[in-house]
Amino acid sequence: AQSVAQPEDQVNVAEGNPLTVKCTYSVSGNPYLFWYVQYPNRGLQFLLKYITGDNLVKGSYGFEAEFNKSQTSFHLKKPSALVSDSALYFCAVSYRDDKIIFGKGTRLHILP
Amino acid sequence: DSGVTQTPKHLITATGQRVTLRCSPRSGDLSVYWYQQSLDQGLQFLIQYYNGEERAKGNILERFSAQQFPDLHSELNLSSLELGDSALYFCASSVDHQGGMNTEAFFGQGTRLTVV
């Protein structure tokens, strides 16, 4: 069955430290992969996507993500976390027939 | 501001009732997506419309239906409401030139539905 997993409900990182939010997927065929961020009382905002090409994609607000086909992962990263990065992050995958599934979300807390 | 407008922002209704949620996509976007976000289920894709036609279906209940009108706005109709339907309902739109969900989507702020 097609699925997206975000194994951590919450990630705590000290400000200035690197952060990683994990995402793994299981779909047949070649997926399109996305990261979205949701701030309190706001809709989701697009961060970045992987369609094809370079496995390292750069997105908004200094975030980047690495596509690893062998590990079926698409982890979100940032070299130096800011308190303002605290939010709910969703990984999503789109595959055949334009279906899309989201992970359950990971709450990121950046500690000052 | 994403450019996607959802109304109403909040809705409180009783079990068994029917409600309609409205979404106006970004100017020029042909695709509209509906999602349900609840604490236990996370974000669930419900349905997608492209230029007035249904394109993809996710975990949408038979009690729910949607449509996209010629002016590209969309409505999500929820009927015979149950307590478990209480959730945040998001609409998103995308340009979708090539077809398929390979372009980023822009989300509205959501409609919070409370069924009592």
Side-chain angles (χ1 to χ4, degrees), chain A residues 42-103:
Chain A
R42 302 281 295 276
L44 278 77
Q45 295 179 35
F46 168 80
L47 276 181
L48 51 79
K49 67 181 178 185
Y50 172 82
I51 303 297
T52 187
D54 194 349
N55 288 343
L56 184 66
V57 293
K58 295 187 183 297
S60 307
Y61 312 120
F63 283 93
E64 58 189 27
E66 186 168 12
F67 171 63
N68 187 318
K69 189 171 184 177
S70 62
Q71 296 185 4
T72 60
S73 67
F74 190 57
H75 300 332
L76 181 70
K77 301 182 180 185
K78 187 172 182 180
S80 178
L82 300 173
V83 172
S84 58
D85 293 330
S86 298
L88 188 58
Y89 290 80
F90 288 93
C91 178
V93 59
S94 174
Y95 56 107
R96 63 176 178 80
D97 298 334
D98 303 325
K99 290 187 173 31
I100 181 169
I101 48 177
F102 284 82

Side-chain angles (χ1 to χ4, degrees), chain A residues 38 46 49 94 98 102 104, chain B residues 35 40 55 100-101 104:
Chain A
Q38 184 179 12
F46 168 80
K49 67 181 178 185
S94 174
D98 303 325
F102 284 82
K104 286 200 168 186
Chain B
Y35 301 89
D40 57 342
R55 167 168 278 181
M101 185 62 176
E104 58 266 31

